[in-house]
Every structure is written in C-alpha cells, then in structure tokens.
Amino acid sequence: KNSLVLADGISSDIIKKSPDKNTGDVIKRVSGASLQDGKFAIVRGLADRYNNAMLNSTLLSSTEADRKAFSFDLVPSFAIDNLMIYKTASADMSGDFAGGIIQITTKDIPEEKSNVLSLSANYNGLTTFKNFESQQGDMKNIFGLTNGNRNLIDNFPVDNKFNKLTSAEKYEWTKKMPNTFEPDIMTAFPGASLQYANSWNVKKEKYALGSIFSVNYSNSFRTTPSTRASYNAIAEQEYAADENIYRHNVGLGGIWNIGLKFGKNSKLSLLNLFNNSAESQVIDRIASDKTTNDKISQIIQQFTKNTLQSHQLS
C-alpha cells in the first residue's frame, strides 16, 4: 500500500498452497504478467527483452544466446520467499526496462522443519512407448551436463575464419568431424520428475539458525509432427515437407541456503542456487521440391544447455 512505485507481488504463503513447480508458474499468478514458451516473462504486454530479472537484489544475465531473456523455469518455487514485479521506475533499481523488473527473493531461515519427497510422471499419447529419435549418446547423458562429445575438433577455424575458406577447404574440415548425425532409435519412456527437500531450524532466545536444502530432477520426451510448405508469387506450391520433431528435456537443480539471526537487527545468510536445463532436439524431415520433383531427406540436430549458478553471502 505504501510503495512509491507501482508493483504487484506474491508471497511464499500463497505459493506453497499452489501446485506451481517453478518461478515461471508463479509469475502467471501476478496481475499483468504472463509467460511465453512456459519460461519467458511478458509484463504489461511487453516481451522479455523489455523486462529485467533479479535474484536477491542482483541482476541476472540473459540465459539465451541470441536474445535478452531470462528463463524463469530455472528457479524452483519452494525456494521463493516472495516475488515482486515492479512496473514503474525507482531510483534504487535499474532503469533499462519498459515492462517491469521481476525480483525473486529466496528463503534463508525456514519457518518449520520438514522432509519432502515428491515423484510425478506424465504420459504423452503421441510419444510415450513409441519410437523416438535421439542424438547419438544422448541417453547416456542422463543429467543434461555436457561431457565433451559435442566439442569442435582441435584447431577448427571458428568465428568468421570458416566462412573465408574455399569450398574444398571446408569439405576437408568437415570430413575430420565425427559422423554422429545418424540418430539413435529408442522407445520413449514416460516423463518423470523427482524432488527432495529438507529444512530445519534451531530457535533460541539469542539466535536462530536454519537451513534449506533441495535437489530436483526431471526427464521428459515429446514428439511433435508438423508440415511445411512454400509458394511462389502466383500461389503455386514450390516446396512441401512432413516432419517429426523429437525433443528430449532434462533438468537438474539444487538449492542450499543457510541463515543465522542474532541480536535484534543482525542476520547472516549464505544463498546457493544451481540449475541446469538441457534440450536435445532431432528433426526428421521428408521434403519434396515441386519444381524439380526431387525428394529431400533431412536430419537436423540441435542441443541447448542453460546453466545458472548463484552464490551470495550477505
């Protein structure tokens, strides 16, 4: 009520009564905010690049390589003490936003002792127990952490150097790359997520000590069939394709916060957050060039990994 800026928020009391699993789910409950692709925030109708993200009063960098955006599905909801969205400027905050500043504050000393173990599974009618194409060796990387198998070979011409080579030189370099483009065929299992959380506190007359520890893991598969087509200026079809998009998503995260309160006005806290999300994607496309009657077979692979670490002593 007394805030000098226009802001909306949600507290941990409300969050723990909801089924929300991550910060992205929580944001959707705040007035004037919504999500794109399940993780990018839109505030007052303005897209992610017009908004800022903060964790415990520290600005967060972009999690995307080609855009200014933060993936809010990285922070689990159980660790949130409160979430505030500031929609107007203030002298004590960054001014490079037009939509809003999303401030996430995590817990340090829990209110009660608890041990929570949760397990959930999901079934997808288009995917589960059906053939699934994955990148070679992908299923061995069960935690979504890279093991070096996607690194470029030594002395490979990076940046703009490769573009300056002749076609013959490019061909020689590509022959040296390991041929891992043929996808593995497997049976897709049901998606699953596992979370364990532990919190404890010791409250005495002169001090209070507490800790929150949690680890979470998720693994999911998704198959999406789609079609593509292109037309010329007189509406004649030139290209048509049918494709299946196979996505394998893995998430691994943890949080460990310790807090100590002593005296009337003193508190010491150590906040640690780690989260890693990886998406392995295979596109199997069968296309037809209507102008030449050529049949085209394409296998497209993409791997994206986002890792967030935050360590704060205050």
Side-chain angles (χ1 to χ4, degrees):
K1 287 182 179 180
N2 298 327
S3 176
L4 298 177
V5 297
L6 182 62
D8 284 297
I10 189 168
S11 68
S12 59
D13 292 334
I14 304 298
I15 295 172
K16 68 182 182 182
K17 295 177 183 178
S18 71
D20 301 337
K21 292 184 177 180
N22 56 59
T23 307
D25 295 331
V26 176
I27 289 175
K28 291 189 294 185
R29 299 184 182 277
V30 180
S31 175
S34 59
L35 278 191
Q36 183 182 28
D37 298 332
K39 54 187 177 181
F40 302 121
I42 298 176
V43 180
R44 296 190 299 174
L46 294 173
D48 41 41
R49 67 191 181 101
Y50 297 103
N51 306 313
N52 281 342
M54 299 182 71
L55 179 66
N56 297 318
S57 301
T58 300
L59 279 171
L60 293 169
S61 59
S62 174
T63 56
E64 305 303 302
D66 55 352
R67 59 195 280 198
K68 179 181 178 290
F70 181 78
S71 181
F72 284 98
D73 60 344
L74 294 180
V75 183
S77 61
F78 63 84
I80 301 174
D81 184 59
N82 62 76
L83 183 143
M84 295 291 295
I85 298 182
Y86 299 95
K87 302 175 183 178
T88 53
S90 176
D92 60 336
M93 294 184 293
S94 172
D96 58 338
F97 73 95
I101 292 181
I102 302 170
Q103 165 74 276
I104 306 167
T105 303
T106 57
K107 300 176 182 177
D108 46 17
I109 299 179
E111 299 174 358
E112 56 188 19
K113 300 177 182 179
S114 66
N115 266 300
V116 179
L117 178 65
S118 61
L119 174 65
S120 63
N122 63 76
Y123 175 88
N124 187 316
L126 292 176
T127 308
T128 308
F129 301 128
K130 296 183 179 180
N131 285 345
F132 189 88
E133 297 185 19
S134 65
Q135 298 180 21
Q136 288 188 21
D138 179 55
M139 299 312 300
K140 296 179 181 178
N141 190 14
I142 60 173
F143 295 114
L145 303 171
T146 53
N147 54 10
N149 61 326
R150 291 183 172 89
N151 293 347
L152 291 173
I153 59 177
D154 293 338
N155 301 318
F156 190 89
V158 296
D159 300 326
N160 200 36
K161 297 176 183 177
F162 186 82
N163 294 332
K164 296 179 180 179
L165 299 177
T166 64
S167 297
E169 291 173 329
K170 291 179 180 179
Y171 179 63
E172 290 301 319
W173 274 109
T174 54
K175 285 200 301 182
K176 298 177 182 179
M177 299 289 290
N179 186 0
T180 58
F181 297 104
E182 185 69 24
D184 291 333
I185 308 298
M186 54 164 289
T187 300
F189 300 105
S193 62
L194 174 68
Q195 184 181 88
Y196 170 73
N198 169 269
S199 64
W200 57 267
N201 59 36
V202 177
K203 294 184 179 180
K204 301 294 184 180
E205 184 178 348
K206 295 184 178 180
Y207 72 91
L209 177 66
S211 170
I212 295 176
F213 170 80
S214 177
V215 60
N216 58 84
Y217 174 77
S218 62
N219 197 333
S220 65
F221 303 88
R222 186 170 76 249
T223 303
T224 307
S226 66
T227 59
R228 287 173 174 262
S230 65
Y231 299 83
N232 59 21
I234 57 175
E236 293 178 339
Q237 191 178 49
E238 295 182 330
Y239 175 87
D242 293 313
E243 64 184 24
N244 282 317
I245 305 173
Y246 302 91
R247 292 187 177 94
H248 177 209
N249 294 86
V250 178
L252 175 67
I255 200 166
W256 185 33
N257 293 348
I258 305 173
L260 172 65
K261 291 182 179 179
F262 52 95
K264 293 183 178 180
N265 303 305
S266 301
K267 182 171 73 170
L268 182 67
S269 60
L270 176 63
L271 310 177
N272 300 283
L273 172 69
F274 169 82
N275 213 304
N276 181 84
S277 65
E279 180 179 86
S280 176
Q281 178 175 279
V282 175
I283 302 176
D284 191 341
R285 180 181 298 158
I286 302 296
S288 175
D289 189 330
K290 301 294 185 179
T291 61
T292 61
N293 293 322
D294 289 337
K295 297 294 183 181
I296 305 167
S297 176
Q298 294 178 321
I299 299 291
I300 303 166
Q301 300 185 14
Q302 179 175 315
F303 178 79
T304 305
K305 183 173 77 75
N306 287 325
T307 302
L308 171 66
Q309 288 192 65
S310 175
H311 309 280
Q312 292 181 313
L313 177 65
S314 61

